[in-house]
Amino acid sequence: GAGVSQSPSNKVTEKGKDVELRCDPISGHTALYWYRQSLGQGLEFLIYFQGNSAPDKSGLPSDRFSAERTGGSVSTLTIQRTQQEDSAVYLCASSLAGGFGEQYFGPGTRLTVT
Amino acid sequence: SQQGEEDPQALSIQEGENATMNCSYKTSINNLQWYRQNSGRGLVHLILIRSNEREKHSGRLRVTLDTSKKSSSLLITASRAADTASYFCATTLISNFGNEKLTFGTGTRLTIIP
């Protein structure tokens, strides 16, 4: 059975460039979350999608960050004009409808901005 | 901001010993979850305890929750080398969007010495 997948697993980019990170949730999971984890830190909530409802964007750190979820499945997190402080592991998680319970995490994308 | 704070930040014990990690949080919660993270990548859900529960067991794991003290503990009995990982508590609040927003602590780095 497929779990949550993310791509790429690693991304190195130059400061000022845009990057796109992809997340494929578990089939049938309507809730999808993005988190960011800086080195040695806990997880920072970024954004949440639930079905066709408006996403909860309250965790996005700046307007350079955006995310979309097409067809209620695959999600893309876009970071424009990357900065060195954007370097982190970006984790995606999905859960069953309503999200009240266990979240299943992908392996993450390690982003390095040089 | 971090809702949960784990204690200790790092713990090293001999294989076969029991490991205890603690988590404190600040606000009222719906439930509390513990996750394990290997090698700084994806998290794996271990156990969920609801706010009206006081203790829960799963295999070698035992979790307690004291809502009056806003604290939880995770006990791993008869530790194994494979238990070496970072352990995070995550508290769940219902956000204004109706979703379960997980707020993670900074984690406890557990090392099991063979």
Side-chain angles (χ1 to χ4, degrees), chain B residues 75-88:
Chain B
L75 169 68
I76 304 174
T77 61
S79 63
R80 305 168 182 170
D83 295 330
T84 294
S86 291
Y87 292 82
F88 294 88

Side-chain angles (χ1 to χ4, degrees), chain A residues 9 37 48 58 99-101 107-108, chain B residues 35 37 41-42 94 99-101:
Chain A
S9 57
Q37 185 178 31
Y48 159 76
S58 60
F100 297 108
Chain B
Y35 286 80
Q37 183 179 40
R41 301 307 284 262
I94 301 299
N99 66 290
E100 179 186 78
K101 180 180 290 187

Side-chain angles (χ1 to χ4, degrees), chain B residues 17-66:
Chain B
E17 293 181 341
N18 296 340
T20 300
M21 291 161 273
N22 303 295
C23 169
S24 59
Y25 56 93
K26 299 174 183 175
T27 64
S28 296
I29 60 172
N30 295 87
N31 61 55
L32 185 145
Q33 303 181 37
W34 285 90
Y35 286 80
R36 182 182 72 205
Q37 183 179 40
N38 292 83
S39 305
R41 301 307 284 262
L43 278 75
V44 174
H45 179 264
L46 295 177
I47 196 165
L48 179 153
I49 186 165
R50 303 195 183 283
S51 59
N52 61 354
E53 297 177 308
R54 292 296 168 259
E55 186 170 315
K56 201 163 185 179
H57 296 253
S58 177
R60 293 184 296 113
L61 305 180
R62 172 176 166 252
V63 169
T64 62
L65 179 64
D66 187 335

